[in-house]
Amino acid sequence: MLGTQWGDEGKGKFTDLLAADASMVVRYQGGHNAGHTLVVDGESFALQLVPSGVLYPHTIPVIGNGVVVDPFVLLKEMAMLADRGVDVSRIKVSGNAHLILPYHQQLDALHERHLGDAKLGTTKRGIGPAYADKSMRLGIRVQDMLDEKIFREKLHTSLGHANKILTKVFNRLPVDPDELADRVLAECLPGIRPLIADSINEIHAALEDGQNVLFEGAQATFLDLDHGTYPFVTSSNPTAGGACTGAGVGPKHIDRIIGIAKAYVTRVGAGPFPTELFDDDGDRMVDIGREYGTNTGRRRRPGWVDAVMLRHAARLNSLTDLAITKLDVLDTFDTVKICTGYRIDGEIVETLPYHQSQIHKAEPVYQEFDGWKTDLTQITDVNELPANARTFLDALAEQARVPISLVSTGPGRKQFLEFS
Ligand code: IMP
């Protein structure tokens, strides 16, 4: 299960829904840059790092090897959940996942400031610097905390590099590796130790036992480091292939790939966005859809749903079906639109141009539909969908070339329609 746009598609809601039939829910990339909101019996839970399956007593939430884990944040999130009566004892963290430590966050913020007008608009959670350390073989893994000597040595090596950047490039004070080690070992290790697991072994034991394992993507296809609108992307691979590397399974184990798409599109942070709206329609999407980051509180940029992107996402991820979220946000619109192609230098193109300058120039070509002007939040049966809403969804599926299997009509766990 993964996002097909620029994130914030409402993935948490459908992960929570699908987790009802899964024995394990595995996060495979990203970190606490994610913000997944789940609403259960009118109560809202905002998760950043813990997999969405945590709210069911029967699922094992696994933070996979591809995730970057801030141990302070993980413990805080677990404490918040435990305070609200959620059993957090089943959570497992891969010993191979990499740590985000405070200096990664400091570097993230400094890099952004350094970029000035060219900044990416990151969440400043230290995601990029932690993955950079991983790629440079300077990263520190969750398992390293289990051996104090190794942990201290690795912190010395990693900070040997980071401190040069902090002091010589950014003119900041160095971080003392031993002080940081003391803090992490005292404040985090006792809480994290019981969670550390051989996630690969546990995931494969579940698969071999015929259990249902759900892989939960954070961020989305067009924020993917390889396939997104680079450099305005995150530093991991939210696309379906990322589930294999970030959880340690081969592609043959993945038999259903659900792409989550909002009935319109939003984007936070900088980067190209062909269907972006700067008018009343966009403001209404933001107001009605409450399009402000769960994580950073930033206003999301709104736009009409883009089938060119969806077709591309379908290819990149081998999507088997689509789940559409927030259809109800468009309930009061007189007309609704789907972008079916781009006009670039006078020509209509229907596939996403590889050359990003073309995407910057793209003018959307729209198919327009009458709105349904009905409160969808009250509908519980697919057959009660107004004809205009059905027409819009059918056109979206046809344009995306992927069938729609689920449609969400409100934030609550029960507010969804299942298509056969
Ligand atoms: P980073 O992941 O914090 O490095 O941010 C890189 C880009 O990804 C920025 O444009 C962020 O706004 C965006 N981003 C990261 N996580 C999310 C998310 O969960 N939802 C939407 N956008 C995100």
Side-chain angles (χ1 to χ4, degrees):
M1 199 234 53
L2 51 89
T4 57
Q5 296 159 334
W6 279 294
D8 307 311
E9 294 93 350
K11 295 181 286 293
K13 148 126 188 205
F14 276 127
T15 315
D16 171 66
L17 191 75
L18 296 163
D21 296 323
S23 62
M24 216 175 234
V25 179
V26 187
R27 268 281 304 267
Y28 57 85
Q29 45 68 233
H32 65 299
N33 47 349
H36 292 164
T37 308
L38 317 176
V39 181
V40 181
D41 299 330
E43 221 190 319
S44 173
F45 294 83
L47 303 177
Q48 295 184 295
L49 204 46
V50 173
S52 303
V54 71
L55 299 186
Y56 290 101
H58 66 276
T59 55
I60 298 178
V62 179
I63 296 176
N65 57 277
V67 177
V68 278
V69 179
D70 181 324
F72 296 96
V73 170
L74 178 57
L75 290 175
K76 208 165 141 203
E77 194 167 315
M78 286 172 57
M80 176 276 288
L81 288 166
D83 269 359
R84 296 176 67 183
V86 177
D87 172 18
V88 291
S89 65
R90 292 161 296 118
I91 297 173
K92 297 191 186 293
V93 184
S94 165
N96 286 356
H98 279 244
L99 289 177
I100 296 184
L101 292 170
Y103 58 94
H104 293 120
Q105 273 146 28
Q106 197 186 353
L107 285 168
D108 197 352
L110 288 167
H111 278 300
E112 280 285 272
R113 198 174 317 156
H114 164 77
L115 286 172
D117 287 345
K119 73 175 180 195
L120 308 175
T122 74
T123 59
K124 300 197 181 115
R125 301 297 196 251
I127 306 295
Y131 278 118
D133 273 0
K134 176 177 175 177
S135 298
M136 291 207 297
R137 279 67 49 93
L138 288 171
I140 299 172
R141 294 189 291 175
V142 167
Q143 60 174 293
D144 296 329
M145 286 195 287
L146 295 172
D147 184 328
E148 182 173 344
K149 185 166 164 282
I150 295 272
F151 187 59
R152 285 184 190 278
E153 268 172 26
K154 291 204 169 182
L155 258 183
H156 273 269
T157 309
S158 184
L159 274 167
H161 180 261
N163 275 339
K164 283 204 182 72
I165 300 175
L166 283 172
T167 56
K168 296 193 192 316
V169 177
F170 293 118
N171 206 18
R172 291 298 190 280
L173 291 173
V175 176
D176 184 310
D178 284 311
E179 265 175 37
L180 181 58
D182 290 344
R183 212 183 130 207
V184 174
L185 295 173
E187 292 177 31
C188 303
L189 185 58
I192 302 281
R193 187 194 289 276
L195 318 177
I196 303 177
D198 179 353
S199 60
I200 307 289
N201 205 17
E202 303 210 12
I203 292 168
H204 282 275
L207 288 169
E208 281 153 25
D209 190 38
Q211 295 174 26
N212 217 353
V213 177
L214 179 63
F215 299 98
E216 177 185 19
Q219 292 84 52
T221 299
F222 292 96
L223 288 173
D224 186 283
L225 183 59
D226 287 77
H227 300 292
T229 44
Y230 191 90
F232 304 104
V233 294
T234 193
S235 301
S236 64
N237 292 112
T239 42
C244 295
T245 47
V249 297
K252 78 165 187 185
H253 287 296
I254 303 181
D255 51 15
R256 186 176 174 196
I257 305 172
I258 307 169
I260 314 290
K262 200 143 60 176
Y264 49 99
V265 182
T266 57
R267 172 165 206 169
V268 247
F273 184 174
T275 62
E276 184 165 13
L277 292 171
F278 300 95
D279 60 6
D280 280 356
D281 282 340
D283 288 342
R284 286 174 65 206
M285 287 170 188
V286 172
D287 290 344
I288 303 171
R290 292 180 301 282
E291 296 294 353
Y292 294 90
T294 359
N295 201 327
T296 57
R298 288 181 291 176
R299 182 188 194 272
R300 298 177 183 143
R301 299 157 59 194
W304 291 114
V305 70
D306 186 338
V308 181
M309 288 174 60
L310 284 183
R311 284 194 289 270
H312 197 66
R315 284 174 155 182
L316 290 174
N317 296 298
S318 304
L319 296 181
T320 54
D321 47 323
L322 276 174
I324 306 296
T325 57
K326 291 191 141 179
L327 188 62
D328 54 296
V329 171
L330 303 180
D331 282 355
T332 57
F333 282 63
D334 291 330
T335 54
V336 288
K337 295 181 189 173
I338 297 173
C339 167
T340 56
Y342 300 149
R343 185 172 290 105
I344 302 173
D345 296 332
E347 273 187 43
I348 307 275
V349 297
E350 291 190 345
T351 50
L352 194 73
Y354 83 92
H355 193 188
Q356 207 150 297
S357 305
Q358 305 273 302
I359 304 180
H360 279 282
K361 281 198 271 183
E363 290 169 42
V365 177
Y366 288 118
Q367 198 178 351
E368 193 164 341
F369 302 84
D370 288 333
W372 41 93
K373 305 286 229 164
T374 309
D375 179 3
L376 296 185
T377 59
Q378 304 305 319
I379 289 180
T380 50
D381 185 329
V382 97
N383 297 314
E384 291 166 23
L385 259 186
N388 287 353
R390 189 72 205 221
T391 305
F392 175 74
L393 291 172
D394 287 346
L396 193 54
E398 194 185 317
Q399 281 292 331
R401 296 176 195 141
V402 183
I404 293 173
S405 58
L406 291 162
V407 173
S408 137
T409 52
R413 203 181 234 179
K414 299 195 177 112
Q415 289 176 298
F416 73 94
L417 307 171
E418 205 160 0
F419 286 54
S420 48

